[in-house]
Amino acid sequence: MTAVITKNQKLLSKQAESIQSKVPTIAVVKNDAYNFGLKETYEAFYKAGIRSFTTTNLKEAIELRQLDGTITVLLLDPSLAFDELREYQITATIPSLDYYRKYRADLEGIPVHLVFKNDLNRLGFTSSSDMQAVLDDSKINVTGLWTHFGYADDFESAHYVREVENWNRVLDDLNDYLPKLSCIHAQNSASYARDGLHDRHTHIRCGVFLYGSRPYYHGIDQKNARQTVEVSANVIELSDVKKGENAGYSTAFTASEDTRLAVCDIGYGNGLMPGRKAFPVIINGKEWPIRVMMMSHLLVEVDETVAVGDEVILYNGETLRFDWFTEQGLGSFSQQMAALNVRTFTERFISC
Ligand SMILES: Cc1ncc(COP(=O)(O)O)c(C=O)c1O
């Protein structure tokens, strides 16, 4: 028996279609499409009508281009691999005036987007006048502008409003250039769910919502976020522990009464977040607490109704949803998905 990851490409495509049919979407497919699989995700999103894809990773950008010669492939991170960018017609990101000055000649023949740094302070131009200098250069093929809102998921602070204002001022300053650009994008899933598409923007740039996770928990109906990944394991043994006995390494668990533990074939080595231990699993439709998490095993407290061979559900589309765990403080959808060590699972794939 092996732990199982179920990837539902059909639901993935449906979910993407529910968004793309309302707003032109650039699909974020970095980190092997949040571990769903780049090719499978490209197929689902393409079927949903999405024609623009983006990643931070040149290798993934080239893979996307090899899958499809017609889509737009945007590389979010700056790159110095100019020959490959040109050969594969990957839209590059210019991250600063210095980069532009240094590599101006190398950038010929490569479509580019300019990124504004904003409050995230990761990469980007710091002023609209610097961006204007590039837009005025007829040798550089600027096809788009973007920024990233680092606070859209954060309802506690007023920071999101400030970064939107910063960006709108940049767009005001560059207003005359906007009609010539095919792609102006700033909003991630949370920003789109909060505001819809902002004025003057052509696309949203969406990750988690496309994959079926609510970017925030309250105020978005669960049926609008179809969970596309499920994770399960198996009961491989039952271990009866007497009151006062320990189980797991270094007395990880001490039984306060006679206890039956189900040994399950999944652990942090499969990529479960360590904090997952605080939340139950489902066996035979009932929730049971995890008492110990090891690299390849969980010890789950059960009763006599649980048998060897029973399925143990870690993530499903109902109560054990990625976005519910995020709400409980376990980590974002991206963190939970990126952590999964997909190679250790048997994969069950439901194709579109
Ligand atoms: C630059 C950029 N744009 C868009 C996204 C997508 O964000 P979300 O998954 O919240 O939609 C990310 C995610 O990390 C990102 O780094």
Side-chain angles (χ1 to χ4, degrees):
M1 285 184 279
T2 323
V4 176
I5 184 163
T6 303
K7 297 180 180 176
N8 193 325
Q9 191 193 35
K10 199 180 207 149
L11 273 189
L12 184 66
S13 191
K14 246 181 146 172
Q15 176 64 16
E17 210 238 323
S18 73
I19 296 171
Q20 164 69 26
S21 62
K22 296 192 195 83
V23 58
T25 300
I26 302 172
V28 180
V29 292
K30 57 188 181 176
N31 293 95
D32 202 24
Y34 293 56
N35 254 343
F36 195 100
L38 188 63
K39 179 170 178 288
E40 296 77 6
T41 301
Y42 154 76
E43 289 166 357
F45 289 174
Y46 190 89
K47 188 160 185 259
I50 293 176
R51 297 293 179 266
S52 300
F53 294 79
T54 190
T55 173
T56 50
N57 181 310
L58 180 63
K59 194 166 156 269
E60 289 181 339
I62 291 173
E63 210 175 312
L64 282 164
R65 172 58 71 231
Q66 287 169 335
L67 285 168
D68 191 322
T70 66
I71 56 174
T72 298
V73 181
L74 167 66
L75 187 63
L76 291 167
D77 279 357
S79 170
L80 302 182
F82 300 106
D83 290 341
E84 283 171 301
L85 293 171
R86 195 173 302 102
E87 179 183 347
Y88 293 101
Q89 279 303 290
I90 290 163
T91 303
T93 291
I94 300 191
S96 66
L97 193 63
D98 284 349
Y99 173 103
Y100 155 71
R101 284 185 177 136
K102 203 159 167 194
Y103 301 113
R104 180 171 175 267
D106 301 293
L107 286 163
E108 252 190 83
I110 302 170
V112 296
H113 287 190
L114 312 185
V115 55
F116 176 63
K117 197 177 215 177
N118 221 334
D119 286 355
L120 184 63
N121 276 321
R122 188 163 64 185
L123 52 100
F125 286 79
T126 50
S127 78
S128 52
S129 53
D130 287 352
M131 295 166 89
Q132 194 173 340
V134 187
L135 285 159
D136 283 335
D137 184 341
S138 59
K139 287 244 184 286
I140 304 291
N141 178 20
V142 182
T143 57
L145 305 177
W146 66 278
T147 192
H148 189 43
F149 300 136
Y151 295 85
D153 301 58
D154 181 358
F155 282 79
E156 310 286 281
S157 84
H159 241 104
Y160 172 59
V161 175
R162 206 176 83 187
E163 58 189 355
V164 171
E165 282 170 1
N166 293 342
W167 174 236
N168 276 329
R169 271 194 300 278
V170 169
L171 294 182
D172 289 342
D173 294 344
L174 301 178
N175 198 41
D176 292 348
Y177 298 86
L178 304 188
K180 287 175 231 130
L181 302 173
S182 57
C183 207
I184 299 160
H185 50 109
Q187 297 175 267
N188 70 347
S189 303
S191 171
Y192 168 62
R194 287 170 78 150
D195 302 343
L197 182 68
H198 289 168
D199 284 349
R200 299 188 284 194
H201 290 69
T202 61
H203 296 74
I204 59 167
R205 198 180 55 250
C206 191
V208 298
F209 211 5
L210 283 181
Y211 296 87
S213 183
R214 282 172 284 192
Y216 48 86
Y217 198 68
H218 297 288
I220 302 176
D221 197 325
Q222 183 168 308
K223 69 176 183 322
N224 294 329
R226 299 156 186 83
Q227 183 154 307
T228 55
V229 171
E230 300 191 349
V231 173
S232 65
N234 310 281
V235 176
I236 57 164
E237 182 58 297
L238 294 163
S239 172
D240 289 319
V241 179
K242 293 253 173 291
K243 179 177 176 179
E245 284 183 350
N246 301 316
Y249 295 108
S250 307
T251 66
F253 171 69
T254 304
S256 58
E257 55 189 348
D258 290 358
T259 303
R260 172 160 286 191
L261 295 172
V263 184
C264 311
D265 56 356
I266 191 167
Y268 62 80
N270 301 88
L272 294 183
M273 307 274 284
R276 179 66 184 79
K277 178 175 172 286
F279 304 97
V281 299
I282 294 176
I283 306 173
N284 302 331
K286 204 170 152 199
E287 293 191 349
W288 303 97
I290 300 172
R291 295 303 182 205
V292 178
M293 183 188 286
M294 294 177 256
M295 186 162 163
S296 310
H297 301 102
L298 297 179
L299 302 182
V300 174
E301 185 171 339
V302 294
D303 67 12
E304 68 291 344
T305 60
V306 170
V308 169
D310 284 349
E311 184 187 40
V312 181
I313 298 171
L314 279 296
Y315 284 105
N316 66 13
E318 286 121 43
T319 50
L320 300 180
R321 291 176 53 96
F322 287 94
D323 49 22
W324 180 77
F325 286 114
T326 303
E327 175 68 6
Q328 303 308 310
L330 184 65
S332 66
F333 170 78
S334 329
Q335 286 170 326
Q336 293 176 70
M337 273 299 287
L340 290 179
N341 189 358
V342 287
R343 272 166 22 96
T344 63
F345 289 91
T346 295
E347 184 174 306
R348 195 180 292 150
F349 191 72
I350 300 163
S351 61
C352 323

